Amino acid sequence: MTDLLFATTNPGKQREIRGLLSGLPLRLLFLNDLPAVPEVEETGATFEENARLKARGYAALLPGGYVAAEDSGIVVPALGGEPGVYSARFGGRPDDLSRNELLLERMASLDGEARAAYYEAIVVLMEPGGAERLFRGRVHGFIAKVPEGERGFGYDPLFYHPSLGKTFGRASQEEKDRLSHRGEAIRALRSYLESVLKERAPDEAREENG
Ligand code: IMP
């Protein structure tokens, strides 16, 4: 079975990615399944640049396999796009709770449409032959005034989805996957992988039969 290395160590992302890719005829690995790997620095100015940096940087770890990387975050237009690519290290705060507190502080004087926000995810796939593919997902919502719910991870207790009528912190995994930026991007990756694996399968069967 071909390997797919998904280059992340974030447990929240891993849980969602594992669920969204379940049943594919690929062995899914994450960075923590490999011996200590030097970290690729996220020096890009956009999610796309960072996803490409990570996918290219980690591609050599798995010659002959697929390597994917995802960069994601939450964007608040009224804050000039913050936290954006700095979502994981917003204000230098060390954990989700204190980053959420900082976001609420920064938005204390904002109401209504000014509380609009979106999550974005960019996934870059490096194929065994060296080709590079990009998949995107975005979900729009609002930043709640107080955290609600303990599900999900990161900014989920603050991310209110209007048609769901609750924050992602209160959503089931199925509800979040159906609507989320990561759900959209990983479903696009999944259907691409399904199509290439289907094309490859007859060749592999021929090789194995002699
Ligand atoms: P990175 O892609 O590893 O740089 O980090 C993405 C960061 O964006 C996470 O650490 C979270 O703070 C935030 N983020 C991305 N996706 C989600 C999500 O689905 N829920 C909550 N926070 C998220």
Side-chain angles (χ1 to χ4, degrees), residues 176-191:
K176 184 179 172 191
D177 287 345
R178 184 158 42 82
L179 299 166
S180 80
H181 53 316
R182 185 163 300 101
E184 184 182 6
I186 302 284
R187 271 191 299 276
L189 167 70
R190 182 188 177 102
S191 66

Side-chain angles (χ1 to χ4, degrees), residues 43-59:
T43 53
T46 62
F47 297 122
E48 184 170 331
E49 280 175 26
N50 280 337
R52 285 193 198 281
L53 278 172
K54 288 190 274 188
R56 289 174 189 168
Y58 292 117

Side-chain angles (χ1 to χ4, degrees), residues 94-132:
D95 52 55
D96 286 342
L97 203 64
S98 57
R99 286 189 283 271
N100 285 356
E101 277 169 12
L102 178 61
L103 185 57
L104 286 178
E105 275 165 43
R106 294 267 173 94
M107 299 189 67
S109 63
L110 302 177
D111 283 305
E113 282 299 317
R115 300 189 74 86
Y118 62 86
Y119 275 126
E120 182 159 314
I122 301 287
V123 172
V124 170
L125 175 71
M126 306 295 294
E127 300 194 62
E132 206 170 301

Side-chain angles (χ1 to χ4, degrees), residues 8 10 12-13 16 42 47 50 54 70-74 84-89 96 99-100 119-121 152-157 159 168 176 180-182:
T8 178
N10 179 320
K13 285 189 185 182
E16 295 185 359
E42 299 182 25
F47 297 122
N50 280 337
K54 288 190 274 188
E70 187 241 48
D71 202 56
S72 56
I74 194 161
V85 290
Y86 301 106
S87 293
R89 41 199 159 132
D96 286 342
R99 286 189 283 271
N100 285 356
Y119 275 126
E120 182 159 314
F153 66 97
Y155 299 91
D156 284 343
F159 187 80
F168 275 180
K176 184 179 172 191
S180 80
H181 53 316
R182 185 163 300 101

